[in-house]
Amino acid sequence: MQSTRAHHLRFDALWTPARPLFARLKTGSRTKLQASQKAPRARLVVIGNGMVGQRFCERLIELEAGARYEIVVLSEEAIPAYDRVHLSDIWRGRAAGELVLRDRAWYSANGVELCLDERAETIDVEAQRVTTHTGREVRYDKLVLATGSRATVPKLSGEGVAALMAYRTIGDAQRILREIGRSRSRDRRVVIIGGGLLGLEAARAMQQLGCEVVVIETASQLMPRQLDPPAAAELARALRGSGIDLRLKASIARVATTESGVRLELDDGEAVTAGMAVVAAGARACDELARAAGLRCHQRGGVEVDERLQTSRANVFAIGECASHVGVPHGLVAPGYAMANVLADNLVGKKRRLPPQEAVTRLKLDLIEVTVLGNPLESADQHDWVWQKEGHYRRLLVGLDRRINAALCVGPWDELPLLQRLVSEGRRVRLRDLQAFRRTGKLGAEGAQPAILVLPAETVICQCANVTCGTLRRAIAAGHSDPDALARTTSASTLCGSCKPLLVQMCGMGQVVAPQPPSRVLPIAGATGAILALAIAVAPRIPIADSVLSEGIDVLWVDPLWKQVSGFTLVALIALGLGLSLRKRSAKFRWGNVNAWRVVHGVFGVLGLVALIAHTGFRLGDNLNRVLALAFLASAFTGAASGMLARVSLTRPGSRLSQIAPHVRSLHDYTFWPLPVLVGLHVFKTYFY
């Protein structure tokens, strides 16, 4: 009992001085926990409720950001965000409500305060406060500008300028539709000012309403910012063939009103009368709020943002058409969605940067389709590959490294999904495929386009909404196996619709199977090969015996017969290893699957290194022999590294190693090609000198 009591006394002596410290720590941790549980949410105010602003809210909800932010959305329009891409569908009988992306109930259910018909008037960045046109003041902790853009109205003279009707919003479309109904009895002619994307869609929609349509464009061609002259000529031919009157290189000098509508006097003296004139001559970023608040804006328009979408103020951000990233404004939906996703991720603690955005422009008319990838008007240091026939025009701009940097297509083309993937991923194109394209208009050999079910999960299927193959597979697995349901769930194909055939293909193939990664044998063979390659490069040579009596393993590189056996074995293994190249590059060589050939290729590489040791005894030789040995080791080492990385692209998509893997494979190909020439020279030198 005495020893036990003494033990407790000693323990109390040690614990008593430390007890107040532990008590304070315990009390402090409990206080911090209670404070964190009761801490008020930061207020996140979004100005603008267009397609990009809506996507930003959706991403915040997906990330469960409502736990840390009180989200308030200010919108100057009277209805929630709607699909602006299909705005002209209103003239084809589609109800305005069908274009709404999410109804008001969705905002309420997800804790988002949506303030419709509430236009932001001023921003006080010092007081962190937004004042609306009703006089309401909204405090913010973080502010996101998603104000979009507004229609550009040319500076014209004449009393009839006020009669021009802008076409940008759903209200504009409804007002134009009402005016068409009133003016049809007076003058069925409608003038569209602007021969760009929006103007041509409006022209065709109005023609289908029974109007006579005249398009006035100041440039010498249609869509001058996207198309080259041959493509514009094909487009103009199709529109004129339908009865649309195109007036190119025409400037409006004066606008006057008439009893039946308007009169447009052109600078060449000609006059065009119509019941109505619609302006669809482009758009300009809505950056007036930001400029008035002192935020830095680009001289060509748009609030300047960095790669994290932050403006010149730390707690103010901008996304969509009102933002100017590295001096480039993005007027398309897809880059705006990318901005929305990146910013939402960063606001919940992730560290993402906005990647370079690939411009994808599509004009989809029932008469003709036009697709533009990248910027085909920038042709410096690029080769043109063109195929054209009546009603079709296809042009590829290929860099010196045989990567497709931009493309232009007038008319339907079933290879567009493949082409878009080649452009976005920066993949090289074979010369023979380009030559075949010039002859036939087809880009790849048969089977060049991978089946949708074996594409990697990170492959983007819908560029507009940035929907990946993995996202579509998960949606199908969750029961959305109908193409329309899949589109509603993932937003894929809901904008330009070019990826709809791929969705149909996925839904029609039954069970979705993820691509199988290479066998685990391949990384093992790669690691073994890397060790052997390094050993051959740095290990000391095996000495040759002084006499025949003490001769041992060195007989392999001393005896001519064994020397030939090991040498030709090495050549045979190199030749057999080429089977993988044939399997991947030749449409006629389809025996077996690629993963099996990869394993065989890796095993042959390891055996080749063993044969090299037997042939040289760790001697790299001199002159040509040394060059040959070093070339073989370089090819073997890069091949071994490629084998070790082979599983990474599928098992860890998006990781840094998966990004390095394609470059390592390319390096392996480059280091291999000198080998056949060097081996041939070595054999020639050995037997003839």
Side-chain angles (χ1 to χ4, degrees), residues 91 163-167 176 190-194 202 206 276-281:
W91 299 335
L164 299 179
M165 305 186 70
Y167 174 44
I176 291 170
V190 175
V191 173
I192 305 294
I193 302 175
M206 290 187 178
M276 180 175 55
V278 176
V279 179

Side-chain angles (χ1 to χ4, degrees), residues 383-388 394 396 431-443:
H383 295 298
D384 270 328
W385 296 80
V386 178
W387 176 82
Q388 185 175 12
R394 298 171 187 172
L396 305 178
L431 180 60
R432 66 181 182 184
D433 289 340
L434 292 172
Q435 292 169 339
F437 166 78
R438 179 172 285 171
R439 294 191 309 270
T440 66
K442 294 290 186 179
L443 182 58

